[in-house]
């Protein structure tokens, strides 16, 4: 697809990058049948190809209409289209650029701006989120069902090990996960401790930057990344083997640090090294002797939910299945390929109707073999699935924690 850049973008790095990315699309349409929003709306503008055309129009006209905003907002950023594209289209990167430019060109209503700002402020600050969650959990029993099911029940993290091993790795604690399901990181620490690895959290590290960046607030997102690099650097210099993410949504952002900070001379090299050190928790466990954990696998059938970020951003579609099969769990059959569950960061709040329909489809598929529980790898998906699932939805590391 050829793009004639508007003079406003012609001499900019983002303009040239977007032009190069767009040129990969050959209009074939193979991606349409893999796109959850196209399957839901049956509107070309809610397909990957349609959105690429909308971004091309933005790049050529120098402006974005309300229609462009509507259809780019409806994209889940699931990147299913990216792994389906025979032409190697890097849709996620193009969408981020398109959204960033759109925020500058198309004004939003006060209500929309306020809601997006509130989400960015609350979700990227674990302390604030924890306070909001505790308040919600206190009044939870009084709320109507449709609100109650959105607030997770309070969870106890259990005992933490004393970190004393020679081998050490850094843990990205995340924002929502730290507040809503503290047992996930605690379980990760206990499991790695039994394998002789200390999992350390740098106190100054915080949000990975995904919330800000994917909502078009690129400068704030990049600041989050720089803060994390500064917090981790002393540990990296002291020999931390890896930076471990236990939420695939955060992990998908971490592996992009090098690319996103490439133009910042003060951080480019450090960001590249940080991105190289990033590992999903599952990748770490796959290299270890799971037999040493003496796991209790008698939990009934486990349905595996592989988040989009693990499938299409981290490109590890079989990781969870391989890991849980190797650990000895009875895996529920799933005959259908899973599309996005509708969680998608802040999507379940900003596009709740489509999100609920995708949730129902995903749960229908996940529970077709009547599992005892569902295991996933991303906090957003876990909370979204749990809001309507009739069985417990856990992070898979909690299964490995039971011996
Ligand atoms: S599959 Fe790839 S090349 Fe074909 S229309 Fe979709 S994005 Fe473009
Ligand atoms: S990222 Fe997902 S929702 Fe967006 S265009 Fe691609 S497949 Fe469709």
């Amino acid at each position: 697809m050829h793009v004639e850049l508007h003079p406003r973008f012609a001499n900019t790095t983002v303009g040239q990058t977007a032009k190069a990315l767009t040129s990969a699309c050959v209009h074939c349409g193979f991606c349409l049948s893999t796109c959850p929003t196209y399957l839901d709306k049956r509107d070309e503008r809610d397909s990957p190809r349609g959105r690429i055309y909308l971004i091309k129009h933005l790049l050529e006209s120098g402006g974005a209409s309300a229609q462009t905003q509507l259809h780019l907002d409806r994209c889940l950023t699931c990147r299913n289209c990216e792994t389906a594209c025979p032409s190697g289209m890097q849709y996620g990167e193009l969408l981020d650029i398109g959204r960033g430019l759109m925020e500058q060109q198309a004004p939003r209503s006060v209500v929309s701006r306020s809601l997006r700002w509130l989400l960015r402020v609350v979700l990227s600050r674990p302390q604030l989120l924890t306070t909001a969650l505790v308040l919600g959990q206190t009044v939870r029993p009084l709320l109507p069902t449709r609100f109650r099911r959105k607030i997770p029940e309070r969870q106890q993290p259990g005992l933490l090990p004393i970190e004393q091993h020679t081998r050490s790795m850094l843990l990205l604690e995340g924002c929502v996960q730290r507040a809503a399901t503290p047992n996930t990181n605690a379980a990760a620490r206990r499991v790695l401790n039994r394998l002789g690895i200390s999992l350390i959290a740098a106190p100054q590290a915080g949000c990975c930057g995904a919330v800000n960046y994917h909502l078009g607030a690129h400068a704030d997102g990049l600041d989050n990344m720089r803060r994390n690099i500064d917090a981790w650097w002393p540990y990296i210099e002291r020999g931390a083997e890896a930076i471990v993410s236990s939420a695939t949504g955060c992990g998908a952002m971490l592996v992009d640090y090098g690319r996103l900070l490439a133009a910042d001379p003060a951080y480019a090299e450090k960001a590249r090294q940080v991105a190289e050190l990033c590992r999903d928790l599952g990748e770490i466990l796959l290299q270890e002797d799971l037999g040493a954990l003496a796991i209790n696998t008698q939990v009934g059938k486990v349905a595996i939910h592989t988040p989009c970020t693990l499938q299409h951003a981290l490109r590890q579609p079989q990781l969870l299945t391989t890991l849980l099969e190797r650990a000895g769990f009875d895996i529920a059959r799933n005959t259908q390929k899973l599309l996005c569950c509708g969680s998608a960061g802040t999507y379940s709040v900003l596009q709740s109707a489509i999100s609920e329909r995708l949730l129902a489809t995903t749960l229908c598929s996940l529970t077709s073999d009547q599992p005892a529980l569902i295991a996933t790898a991303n906090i957003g998906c876990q909370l979204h699935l749990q809001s309507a699932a009739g069985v417990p939805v856990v992070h898979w590391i909690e299964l490995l924690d039971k011996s």
Side-chain angles (χ1 to χ4, degrees):
M1 199 180 283
H2 178 70
V3 177
E4 281 299 326
L5 287 175
H6 186 273
R8 181 178 297 150
F9 305 128
N11 295 318
T12 64
T13 307
V14 283
Q16 293 298 336
T17 307
K19 179 177 176 167
L21 290 169
T22 311
S23 69
C25 180
V26 294
H27 329 244
C28 66
F30 282 4
C31 53
L32 268 66
S33 63
T34 69
C35 174
T37 56
Y38 177 71
L39 297 175
D40 185 83
K41 292 280 177 195
R42 295 289 172 184
D43 182 330
E44 172 81 18
R45 294 167 300 177
D46 285 314
S47 78
R49 185 173 62 184
R51 292 183 177 117
I52 293 167
Y53 269 108
L54 290 171
I55 295 170
K56 167 182 155 70
H57 185 256
L58 191 164
L59 292 166
E60 292 184 332
S61 67
S65 66
Q67 285 299 307
T68 301
Q69 194 175 71
L70 174 72
H71 298 291
L72 292 194
D73 279 356
R74 277 193 192 150
C75 177
L76 294 142
T77 330
C78 68
R79 294 168 67 179
N80 204 16
C81 50
E82 203 171 296
T83 42
C85 174
S87 185
M89 178 74 202
Q90 296 188 19
Y91 175 84
E93 190 180 345
L94 179 67
L95 181 74
D96 274 338
I97 293 176
R99 280 180 168 162
L101 295 176
M102 185 180 72
E103 289 306 310
Q104 296 162 15
Q105 310 300 329
R108 291 184 181 275
S109 68
V110 175
V111 174
S112 171
R113 271 207 314 273
S114 307
L115 180 56
R116 293 166 77 90
W117 175 83
L118 194 65
L119 286 170
R120 292 201 293 110
V121 167
V122 176
L123 293 182
S124 63
R125 287 172 176 78
Q127 306 299 348
L128 202 53
L129 185 59
T130 304
T131 307
L133 206 55
V134 168
L135 279 175
Q137 285 163 337
T138 306
V139 297
R140 190 175 185 269
L142 309 172
L143 297 175
T145 311
R146 70 193 171 101
F147 293 122
R148 192 166 59 227
R149 70 186 182 89
K150 297 284 181 194
I151 302 172
E153 288 182 31
R154 203 165 294 171
Q155 197 186 68
Q156 295 302 328
L159 292 175
L160 291 176
I162 297 164
E163 310 292 3
Q164 56 190 2
H165 301 291
T166 320
R167 292 184 67 189
S168 71
M169 297 182 184
L170 280 159
L171 171 69
L172 171 68
E173 292 188 288
C175 308
V176 180
Q177 183 163 274
R178 196 187 316 185
T181 58
N183 191 46
T184 297
N185 286 335
R189 285 181 158 162
R190 287 189 289 266
V191 170
L192 288 196
N193 181 58
R194 278 151 62 200
L195 293 169
I197 302 169
S198 292
L199 207 47
I200 303 159
Q204 303 305 320
C207 178
C208 64
V211 175
N212 280 314
Y213 205 84
H214 293 317
L215 282 173
H218 289 182
D220 288 349
L222 294 174
D223 279 347
N224 293 154
M225 296 172 207
R226 292 187 191 98
R227 185 221 30 228
N228 286 349
I229 292 170
D230 287 341
W232 290 328
W233 202 251
Y235 296 88
I236 294 170
E237 289 185 321
R238 288 204 292 273
E241 283 178 44
I243 301 167
V244 181
S245 163
S246 52
T248 56
C250 307
M253 190 85 249
L254 292 184
V255 296
D256 267 350
Y257 272 26
R259 175 176 66 77
L260 295 170
L261 286 167
D264 182 337
Y267 281 88
E269 179 51 26
K270 286 181 178 177
R272 189 190 64 74
Q273 289 187 45
V274 161
E276 268 183 13
L277 281 172
C278 290
R279 298 283 181 281
D280 184 75
L281 182 60
E283 292 179 76
I284 303 290
L285 266 295
L286 213 48
Q287 291 169 352
E288 300 296 325
D289 175 17
L290 298 182
L293 293 172
I295 302 161
N296 172 18
T297 55
Q298 302 307 305
V299 294
K301 246 184 242 174
V302 179
I304 295 178
H305 172 259
T306 302
C308 302
T309 36
L310 188 54
Q311 289 190 60
H312 310 298
L314 298 174
R315 309 264 171 139
Q316 304 259 17
Q318 291 304 317
L319 181 66
L320 281 194
T321 308
T322 307
L323 189 63
L324 294 185
E325 273 179 355
R326 194 177 288 179
F329 288 96
D330 181 11
I331 308 296
R333 280 177 296 112
N334 189 1
T335 47
Q336 286 174 326
K337 187 178 184 309
L338 288 180
L339 294 180
C340 180
C341 68
S343 167
T346 54
Y347 197 91
S348 58
V349 178
L350 297 170
Q351 302 286 341
S352 57
I354 302 175
S355 171
E356 286 294 314
R357 290 196 288 275
L358 294 175
L359 174 62
T361 308
T362 305
L363 279 176
C364 189
S365 175
L366 278 173
T367 54
S368 61
D369 197 22
Q370 297 178 328
L373 51 88
I374 297 170
T376 186
N378 188 47
I379 178 62
C381 309
Q382 184 180 349
L383 298 181
H384 194 51
L385 292 169
Q386 189 66 87
S387 73
V391 294
V393 183
V394 299
H395 188 288
W396 60 266
I397 193 67
E398 295 177 277
L399 298 177
L400 269 57
D401 188 32
K402 291 187 174 31
S403 56

